[in-house]
């Protein structure tokens, strides 16, 4: 899933200081799971912004809504009726995709409440870690199911580099060395031999290379 | 042709030194250190923004070394440039007379003075070695396009770290580097001789000492604190406790550091498969002549 975290409250408050009435839109997908932008967080943010505003002697009117999915026009249509002309500004509590969809659909100025951090999973309650680098050309079959692109701090394809010690990466004693994990897993699978093959340079044109990538599934495209 | 390569081919026990380029545009300081080393070593490494701190470029520094009559070993990392920049810099450096390149991944940018920068790592160190070799032997750019003339003909070096983990993989990774095209190898500095000997035993088991010239990396210690710091804080370093104790007890730590380094060189010369030493005395370049002298490495042979 996409993992995001909320921007500092004062930063959001500063950005909406001109507005009298704001619509705060959550999303029921990834950001609900990672406790950053679901229905509950929408309520908390609305209350906090009203309180902060009250300290300045002015009032702030908030409207709360949580879309089933902000990254889908269909679900934004469902909220069109509450985006009335008296709403000065929309705060999206979705990932960067949701913010853009909302900004595209409505005329109001739309701002993000979250920083979109990573594609990852839950490590333990309240802790999420990156697991996919969105390189567009998955190599997990070669690396024991451990992604060197995003879990190795240097995205090395023929690792580990000389900074791996006691299973940790040179960047921090709390960061596992991805290549140590790959080595251990491949050893366990009896496939260490495969790591002796020199992995050729990667085709990064399939990854972020300037300009949005697009996926088309011909059989369902209209 | 690379003088360093000729020295190895002539069967000499090769000695290289290292100069860290300055955090300024002062070429004179590079020339000064190179001139100090040239008589005592067969090559001088120029680090490429080591520990991710912005310094005078290793290409320019290599040219300063050439101007003093020295033999530069230009380091090149994968951290700061993509395959376009790397190949362009290889062409440029060779056109200026640089004949030796040492290929590395590069320290992560979080160690340096621009921690908020974006790293590149378009290709890794093994792919870099392959790239340099293909440019030379196949006269091809990475994209497959032909280099019609004046292909860069570098003598290709790599690094090996016998002290990093997983230890069992270190020799096999060196083998990958050699298979990719590495012709000489400089190791991380040895402050744990036992581990290095174990590494060399495995190197010989795989026959790698017959396929590339392996140079043992050494760093003269100035104080026990420096050694203790490296033991505790530098990832991929092993420092033997005895070494720290010995430095602690020394009446004159700097003298002791030199003594240890000299003993190490004498010991290393007896290890089968080691073809030279790389002395990293950065910020202490002036000590190299004394070490070389006491270790019996002088005079350096002159090639005709």
């Amino acid at each position: 899933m996409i993992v995001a975290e909320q921007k500092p409250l004062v930063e959001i408050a500063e950005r909406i200081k001109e507005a009298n009435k704001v619509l705060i839109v959550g999303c029921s997908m990834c950001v609900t799971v990672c406790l950053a932008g679901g229905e509950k967080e929408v309520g908390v943010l609305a209350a906090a912004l009203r309180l902060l505003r009250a300290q300045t002697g002015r009032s702030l009117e908030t409207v709360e809504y949580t879309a089933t999915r902000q990254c889908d026009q269909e679900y934004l249509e469902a909220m069109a009726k509450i985006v009335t002309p008296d709403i000065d500004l929309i705060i999206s509590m979705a990932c960067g995709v949701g913010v853009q969809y909302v900004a595209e659909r409505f005329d109001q100025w739309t701002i993000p409440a979250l920083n979109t951090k990573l594609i990852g999973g839950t490590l333990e309650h309240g802790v999420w870690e990156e697991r996919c680098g969105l390189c567009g050309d998955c190599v997990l079959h070669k690396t024991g199911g451990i992604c060197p692109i995003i879990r190795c701090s240097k995205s090395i394809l023929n690792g580990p580099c000389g900074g791996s010690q006691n299973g940790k990466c040179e960047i921090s004693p709390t960061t596992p060395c991805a290549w140590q994990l790959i080595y251990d897993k491949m050893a366990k699978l009896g496939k260490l031999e495969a790591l002796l093959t020199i992995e050729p340079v990667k085709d990064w044109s399939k990854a972020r290379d300037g300009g949005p990538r697009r996926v088309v599934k011909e059989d369902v495209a209209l | 042709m690379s003088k360093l390569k000729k020295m190895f081919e002539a069967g000499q026990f090769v000695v290289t030194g290292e100069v860290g380029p300055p955090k300024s545009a002062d070429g004179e300081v590079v020339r000064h250190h190179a001139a100090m080393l040239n008589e005592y070593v067969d090559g001088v490494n120029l680090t490429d923004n080591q520990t991710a701190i912005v310094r005078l470029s290793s290409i320019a520094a290599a040219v300063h070394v050439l101007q003093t009559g020295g033999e530069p070993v230009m380091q090149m990392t994968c951290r700061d440039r993509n395959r376009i920049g790397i190949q362009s810099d290889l062409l440029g450096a060779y056109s200026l007379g640089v004949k030796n390149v040492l290929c590395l991944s590069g320290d992560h940018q979080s160690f340096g003075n621009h921690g908020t920068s974006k790293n590149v790592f378009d290709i890794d160190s093994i792919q870099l070695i392959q790239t340099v070799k293909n440019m030379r032997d196949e006269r091809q750019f990475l994209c497959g396009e032909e280099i019609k003339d004046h292909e860069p003909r570098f003598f290709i070096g790599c690094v090996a770290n016998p002290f990093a983990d997983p230890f069992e993989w270190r020799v096999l990774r060196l083998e990958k580097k050699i298979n990719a095209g590495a012709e000489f190898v400089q190791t991380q500095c040895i402050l744990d001789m036992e581990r290095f000997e174990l590494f060399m035993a495995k190197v010989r088991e795989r026959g790698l000492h017959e396929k590339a010239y392996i140079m043992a990396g050494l760093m003269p210690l100035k104080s026990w604190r420096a050694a203790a710091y490296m033991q505790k804080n530098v990832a991929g370093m092993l420092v033997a406790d005895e070494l720290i104790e010995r430095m602690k007890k020394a009446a004159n730590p700097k003298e002791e550091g030199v003594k240890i380094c000299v003993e190490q060189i004498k010991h290393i010369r007896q290890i089968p498969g080691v073809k030279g030493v790389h002395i990293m005395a950065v910020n202490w370049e002036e000590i190299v002549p004394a070490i070389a002298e006491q270790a019996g490495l002088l005079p350096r042979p002159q090639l005709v």
Side-chain angles (χ1 to χ4, degrees), chain A residues 33-134:
Chain A
V33 183
C34 68
L35 312 174
E39 193 175 0
K40 185 173 144 244
E41 289 77 30
V42 167
V44 173
L45 179 65
L49 287 173
R50 285 196 306 269
L51 266 169
L52 263 183
R53 177 61 67 84
Q55 287 171 8
T56 69
R58 286 167 56 217
S59 69
L60 175 71
E61 194 179 337
T62 56
V63 181
E64 299 171 27
Y65 181 81
T66 299
T68 305
R69 248 203 327 266
Q70 281 193 37
C71 57
D72 218 325
Q73 288 297 354
E74 185 188 334
Y75 295 105
L76 295 187
E77 287 313 316
M79 75 180 245
K81 58 182 183 300
I82 61 162
V83 187
T84 49
D86 61 332
I87 286 174
D88 301 317
L89 187 150
I90 304 174
I91 302 173
S92 166
M93 293 194 80
C95 68
V97 182
V99 180
Q100 293 183 60
Y101 268 68
V102 171
E104 221 168 87
R105 171 62 184 81
F106 302 104
D107 293 335
Q108 273 86 348
W109 184 29
T110 304
I111 67 163
L114 308 184
N115 289 320
T116 310
K117 304 293 281 192
L118 50 96
I119 301 271
T122 311
L123 279 191
E124 55 189 88
H125 191 68
V127 182
W128 297 272
E129 192 176 81
E130 194 157 27
R131 282 287 188 271
C132 176
L134 299 171

Side-chain angles (χ1 to χ4, degrees), chain A residues 153-171 177 179-180 183-184 192-204 208, chain B residues 83 105-108 110-111 118-119 121-124 126-127 130-131 142 161 163-166 168-170 172-173 175-176 179-180 206 234-238:
Chain A
S153 66
K154 300 175 186 174
S155 299
I156 285 173
L157 292 171
N158 296 283
C161 77
S164 172
Q165 203 163 36
N166 302 322
K168 304 298 180 200
C169 171
E170 68 179 29
I171 61 163
C177 166
W179 275 98
Q180 175 76 56
Y183 176 84
D184 292 343
L192 268 185
E193 201 69 17
L195 294 183
L196 281 171
T197 309
I198 297 172
E199 181 64 20
V201 296
K202 194 167 172 66
D203 176 0
W204 291 110
R208 189 214 69 88
Chain B
R83 63 191 78 180
S105 306
D107 296 316
H108 193 266
S110 57
F111 291 105
K118 182 175 188 294
N119 63 32
F121 296 116
D122 175 14
I123 64 177
D124 67 26
I126 292 180
Q127 295 162 345
Q130 222 171 22
T131 303
L142 236 173
N161 187 354
F163 313 103
D165 291 323
E168 322 80 67
W169 189 250
R170 288 293 145 189
L172 296 175
R173 186 155 188 265
E175 187 165 333
K176 270 179 98 166
N179 288 342
R206 303 288 296 189
V234 179
M237 276 295 300
L238 285 181

Side-chain angles (χ1 to χ4, degrees), chain B:
Chain B
M1 189 173 145
S2 150
K3 181 189 148 200
L4 201 62
K5 187 179 179 185
K6 279 188 204 159
M7 289 288 284
F8 280 122
E9 284 178 352
Q12 297 294 344
F13 189 80
V14 171
V15 184
T16 51
E18 186 156 309
V19 169
K23 291 161 81 172
S24 74
D26 182 7
E28 180 51 39
V29 69
V30 180
R31 292 195 296 273
H32 169 74
H33 283 135
M36 190 189 287
L37 292 176
N38 286 341
E39 203 186 320
Y40 308 97
V41 297
D42 309 311
V44 178
N45 271 39
L46 290 317
T47 47
D48 179 10
N49 297 301
Q50 77 266 31
T51 62
I53 288 171
V54 176
R55 292 169 182 277
L56 187 141
S57 82
S58 61
I59 304 174
V63 174
H64 287 296
V65 172
L66 283 171
Q67 286 170 358
T68 66
E71 173 81 353
V73 179
M74 175 185 78
Q75 295 196 357
M76 181 170 274
T77 70
C78 302
R79 180 192 56 228
D80 306 324
R81 24 171 144 47
N82 67 9
R83 63 191 78 180
I84 301 170
I86 282 177
Q87 292 178 98
S88 163
D89 280 351
L90 286 168
L91 295 179
Y94 196 79
S95 79
L96 289 163
V98 182
K99 301 273 191 338
N100 312 295
V101 63
L102 189 82
C103 307
L104 318 90
S105 306
D107 296 316
H108 193 266
Q109 73 275 9
S110 57
F111 291 105
N113 58 358
H114 289 76
T116 56
S117 65
K118 182 175 188 294
N119 63 32
V120 182
F121 296 116
D122 175 14
I123 64 177
D124 67 26
S125 60
I126 292 180
Q127 295 162 345
L128 170 59
I129 293 164
Q130 222 171 22
T131 303
V132 186
K133 183 181 162 64
N134 281 343
M135 289 173 87
R136 183 190 65 196
D137 298 347
E138 310 302 325
R139 301 175 62 166
Q140 261 184 9
F141 290 110
L142 236 173
C143 61
E145 203 178 292
E146 186 193 1
I147 304 174
K148 291 208 170 68
D149 55 80
H150 289 84
E151 76 280 5
R153 305 198 60 78
F154 283 104
F155 183 44
I156 308 168
C158 73
V159 292
N161 187 354
F163 313 103
D165 291 323
F167 178 62
E168 322 80 67
W169 189 250
R170 288 293 145 189
V171 174
L172 296 175
R173 186 155 188 265
L174 174 59
E175 187 165 333
K176 270 179 98 166
K177 290 185 173 187
I178 292 170
N179 288 342
E183 298 165 283
F184 72 98
V185 183
Q186 289 175 343
T187 74
Q188 170 69 287
C189 56
I190 300 163
L191 294 168
D192 184 336
M193 193 55 78
E194 210 173 299
R195 172 70 86 105
F196 179 67
E197 292 196 65
L198 206 58
F199 176 81
M200 282 308 298
K202 287 180 185 290
V203 161
R204 290 191 300 272
E205 241 169 63
R206 303 288 296 189
L208 303 185
H209 63 305
E210 310 280 359
K211 295 180 180 167
Y213 304 108
I214 297 171
M215 306 182 76
L218 294 170
M219 185 171 65
L221 294 167
K222 274 182 173 171
S223 69
W224 73 267
R225 277 190 186 84
Y229 177 85
M230 283 189 285
Q231 187 186 51
K232 202 164 168 245
N233 299 313
V234 179
M237 276 295 300
L238 285 181
V239 183
D241 292 328
E242 305 92 78
L243 222 51
I244 298 174
E245 283 311 308
R246 192 173 153 186
M247 286 298 288
K248 247 186 199 171
K249 284 188 195 128
N252 186 333
K254 281 189 172 180
E255 262 174 30
E256 194 67 16
V258 171
K259 218 170 139 193
I260 291 170
C261 192
V262 169
E263 284 170 20
Q264 284 179 319
I265 295 173
K266 288 182 174 167
H267 182 82
I268 282 163
R269 288 191 82 161
Q270 307 307 316
I271 302 175
V274 181
K275 304 288 167 47
V277 283
H278 174 58
I279 306 168
M280 291 167 268
V282 173
N283 294 327
W284 202 16
E285 288 84 355
E286 65 276 13
I287 201 63
V288 173
I291 292 171
E293 169 74 51
Q294 290 173 41
L297 297 168
L298 299 181
R300 297 309 308 148
Q302 295 304 307
L303 291 175
V304 277

